[in-house]
Amino acid sequence: MTAQPPASPPRTDTGVLAGELRVALASLVRRLREQADGTDLTRSQSSVLLRLEREGPATATALARAEGVRPQSMAKIVQALESAGLVGGAPDPKDGRKTLLSLTDAAREEFRTGRLAKQDWLTKALDTTLTAEEIDRLASVTDLLRRLAQFP
């Protein structure tokens, strides 16, 4: 009688896993957004603010290109953000005809307090919902999630 190699465990169906991850992460992101709500910003306005925070000052034309919107649409977004006191403009040192848009101190403070609210909520959720072993398991996958987020 010949020895049979041990059966390998069934492989996880990546298509099913992708669907489950998408739903779970979307729910978590929604819950995190709820924690810092209180602004009446549209997604487009929030996206522009996040881009300015991440990448620094930019012209409205560069923002429109990066966000994939028409310059006229970006002009409306920028106007709303300026009216709310979240974005300010200054002459571009390389080309005085252009205006560089950047975050105001008020926008930076909103980001800071919003992030703190989200982190506080998530800390409480982790501490009250998961066991110590589950928290360790979750910690072990954060690097994997970061790598997935970098995929083109």
Side-chain angles (χ1 to χ4, degrees):
M1 193 159 40
T2 44
Q4 297 270 337
S8 59
R11 184 163 178 202
T12 301
D13 182 328
T14 55
V16 171
L17 177 60
E20 291 174 358
L21 272 173
R22 182 187 54 78
V23 170
L25 292 174
S27 295
L28 182 57
V29 167
R30 260 192 310 280
R31 291 299 307 269
L32 286 169
R33 277 191 192 125
E34 290 171 3
Q35 305 315 306
D37 253 0
T39 66
D40 293 329
L41 297 176
T42 66
R43 284 199 184 216
S44 297
Q45 292 166 348
S46 294
S47 181
V48 167
L49 290 175
L50 286 169
R51 184 173 299 279
L52 288 172
E53 183 194 34
R54 260 191 333 266
E55 300 174 10
T59 65
T61 302
L63 288 170
R65 193 175 318 113
E67 293 291 316
V69 299
R70 294 186 342 249
Q72 297 88 339
S73 298
M74 184 55 65
K76 289 179 183 178
I77 293 169
V78 168
Q79 183 180 20
L81 293 173
E82 285 178 324
S83 295
L86 300 173
V87 169
D92 184 338
K94 297 176 186 171
D95 183 347
R97 298 169 297 170
K98 296 180 182 178
T99 300
L100 278 180
L101 301 165
S102 59
L103 297 178
T104 62
D105 289 340
R108 292 183 195 288
E109 180 61 16
E110 278 195 36
F111 276 125
R112 189 186 73 73
T113 57
R115 286 193 178 112
L116 288 174
K118 291 173 185 179
Q119 188 159 338
D120 286 348
W121 176 86
L122 191 52
T123 299
K124 285 178 191 168
L126 290 168
D127 288 340
T128 59
T129 307
L130 303 179
T131 66
E133 180 182 291
E134 289 170 326
I135 290 171
D136 289 342
R137 283 177 37 210
L138 186 58
S140 72
V141 301
T142 56
D143 285 337
L144 298 175
L145 291 172
R146 265 191 221 100
R147 281 180 35 209
L148 283 174
Q150 299 302 316
F151 183 76

